[in-house]
Amino acid sequence: MDKVAVITGASAGIGAATALRMSQAGWTLVLVARRQDRLEELGLKALLCTFDITNPSAPDQIWNRISEALPGRKVDCLVNNAGLALGTAPVPDCSPEDWQQMVETNILALIKLTLKLTPHMNPGATVINLGSVAGRWPYRGGNVYGATKAFVKQFSENLRCDLQGTGIRVCNVEPGIVDTEFSIVRYKGDLDKAKAVYAEKLSLTADNVAQTIAWVAMLPARVSIPRFEIVPVTQATRGFVF
């Protein structure tokens, strides 16, 4: 295999697990994250891009690094994994700063990097966006986080329409509960609250989702998976409540 994969949020969780999976499959990796030390700890042969993807200049900087380090190469897979949730307070008690950060990371950074890289993708390449079941099913405290993932869902579907005829595929991977540092970030380092999210639950692992991402990326070029929802066997939707 002589293909290039760009993975954002690659320093931990699903991003790191995806990097490991795709490295084992022989992909040339471009790993994007803020934490250089965590990228280095993965121990992978990869082009490391230590950028905050919410920085307006990040897409240009990432592509410049790729074109310099891998001259003449194009991108075969973009995994838009970087994202976060902040807080679970109801709307009257939410932090506008938290809302701003979720929108900047989960929406603006994703669409800007996609816009930058899709002109430099090969036919048969795949854009894989990390959505969430929260983008389809509401829950208390999900407010803006769920709304950002609903945006990712619709953007993925519209992007697929726009790219029809180019050979570039688009998949929105929508995980349910996954035991990663997601909740540690959401509760801003409160480990007790974070652990309580997964207590007495059978959650997905980061590698469960990474396996799905790698499988989607390596399907034959004629095959497109527009949407992939993956949840643990114990998770189901509640429906309406009163």
Side-chain angles (χ1 to χ4, degrees), residues 94-162:
C94 288
S95 160
E97 292 78 17
D98 287 350
W99 283 11
Q100 181 79 16
Q101 188 173 351
M102 285 187 281
V103 169
E104 289 181 352
T105 307
N106 300 358
I107 295 179
L108 296 177
L110 182 150
I111 62 177
K112 289 178 182 178
L113 185 58
T114 302
L115 178 63
K116 183 65 184 183
L117 293 187
T118 46
H120 305 289
M121 300 185 82
N122 284 312
T126 314
V127 177
I128 300 177
N129 294 325
L130 260 292
S132 170
V133 294
R136 291 181 182 268
W137 309 110
Y139 62 89
R140 286 177 63 86
N143 44 68
V144 168
Y145 171 70
T148 64
K149 292 304 182 178
F151 176 94
V152 172
K153 174 189 73 70
Q154 193 63 36
F155 176 69
S156 299
E157 294 175 0
N158 288 345
L159 180 64
R160 183 165 172 261
C161 291
D162 287 353

Side-chain angles (χ1 to χ4, degrees), residues 1 16-17 55 73 77 112 167-168 177 179 190 199 215 224 229:
M1 180 179 291
N55 187 315
R73 303 284 292 278
C77 184
K112 289 178 182 178
I168 299 173
I177 187 170
D179 191 350
D190 189 324
W215 175 76
S224 177
E229 181 175 301

Side-chain angles (χ1 to χ4, degrees), residues 25-65:
W27 289 75
T28 297
L29 297 180
V30 179
L31 305 182
V32 183
R34 292 176 293 108
R35 298 175 290 188
Q36 176 84 17
D37 57 334
R38 295 288 293 273
L39 289 175
E40 292 174 350
E41 286 171 8
L42 294 176
L44 300 177
K45 182 180 179 181
L47 174 62
L48 305 185
C49 295
T50 310
F51 298 117
D52 180 346
I53 62 166
T54 64
N55 187 315
S57 66
D60 287 335
Q61 291 179 307
I62 291 167
W63 174 244
N64 289 342
R65 289 288 307 280

